[in-house]
Amino acid sequence: MVDMITEMVGNRSFTLTTGNGQRSRLRRVKNGVPQGSVLAPLLFNIYISNLPTTISRKYGYADDLAIMHPNRDWQAVEGVLNKDMAMLGEYLQTWKLKLSTTKTVSANFHLNNKEAKRELKVNFNNETLPFFSETKYFGVTLDRSLTYRRHLESRRKKLTSRDVPASWLRLGNGSNNKRQP
């Protein structure tokens, strides 16, 4: 098993080919696991199994990680998230991992309409992370109130835009679902 994993993560190389057929020289892959392999998420989870303990809750799968801190005090939330982001930043640097700053955002989820426009100020490496009132996580659009309204609407539009016979979309126990000729 060890030999198989060693072979999978080591001895890998790649070249790039442009649209007009030009090819780069062979480059060696020095770290990471092959994208799309069945073992990649498991191996990555093993690699980061020693993530530091944070005050905020961590939710993740493979290389996707979210941290959340429930609290009614906005300053407390920002303080905890900033402290945890600094700690995670040190961990990432130690283990030669890079945070995808283009995919890293802050968002808040609450039902307080008076604070609807409130933006979290969370930093990473002395840069304020972009704030979004809606964000996607594992393909689900999350809004401030967690109504999933935008997500369900986009799913409905996608489903109804396809050329799918309506009889395929019927729900029920099947006893009254007779196909029309």
Side-chain angles (χ1 to χ4, degrees):
M1 180 72 144
V2 172
D3 289 340
M4 181 184 77
I5 292 172
T6 302
E7 184 63 31
M8 182 179 154
V9 298
N11 245 353
R12 293 181 297 133
S13 57
F14 69 95
T15 61
L16 295 175
T17 305
T18 63
N20 64 1
Q22 290 183 328
R23 196 176 214 156
S24 70
R25 65 184 174 98
L26 190 66
R27 301 270 181 164
R28 189 172 173 268
V29 178
K30 297 177 183 170
N31 57 11
V33 294
Q35 291 286 319
S37 71
V38 174
L39 286 178
L42 175 65
L43 292 174
F44 189 78
N45 284 337
I46 291 169
Y47 188 70
I48 64 164
S49 63
N50 66 337
L51 270 172
T53 302
T54 56
I55 297 168
S56 54
R57 296 176 187 162
K58 294 186 292 267
Y59 301 91
Y61 174 74
D63 65 346
D64 282 312
L65 181 67
I67 60 172
M68 298 178 199
H69 183 67
N71 196 315
R72 292 183 187 270
D73 181 347
W74 291 100
Q75 288 180 329
V77 170
E78 289 174 347
V80 166
L81 292 176
N82 280 306
K83 181 179 176 185
D84 288 346
M85 286 301 290
M87 186 185 323
L88 291 170
E90 290 174 20
Y91 173 86
L92 295 173
Q93 187 174 2
T94 299
W95 292 103
K96 302 196 182 340
L97 296 169
K98 291 184 181 173
L99 184 73
S100 175
T101 53
T102 59
K103 295 180 182 177
T104 305
V105 301
S106 69
N108 54 34
F109 307 108
H110 61 89
L111 297 173
N112 185 349
N113 289 332
K114 291 179 185 175
E115 298 283 356
K117 303 256 186 232
R118 176 83 182 222
E119 293 187 13
L120 287 175
K121 291 176 181 47
V122 181
N123 300 309
F124 182 75
N125 286 344
N126 299 317
E127 301 260 339
T128 301
L129 296 174
F131 174 84
F132 288 100
S133 57
E134 289 184 349
T135 188
K136 266 193 173 182
Y137 192 60
F138 289 123
V140 177
T141 303
L142 303 172
D143 59 66
R144 175 184 61 90
S145 302
L146 296 176
T147 63
Y148 306 100
R149 188 174 294 129
R150 175 95 61 179
H151 179 75
L152 294 171
E153 181 63 25
S154 71
R155 298 289 94 197
R156 184 190 66 78
K157 283 181 183 175
K158 190 171 187 176
L159 185 61
T160 57
S161 71
R162 296 185 178 185
D163 189 18
V164 179
S167 61
W168 292 5
L169 304 176
R170 288 196 195 120
L171 300 175
N173 64 11
S175 60
N176 294 326
N177 291 341
K178 295 186 177 159
R179 263 187 111 142
Q180 300 295 322

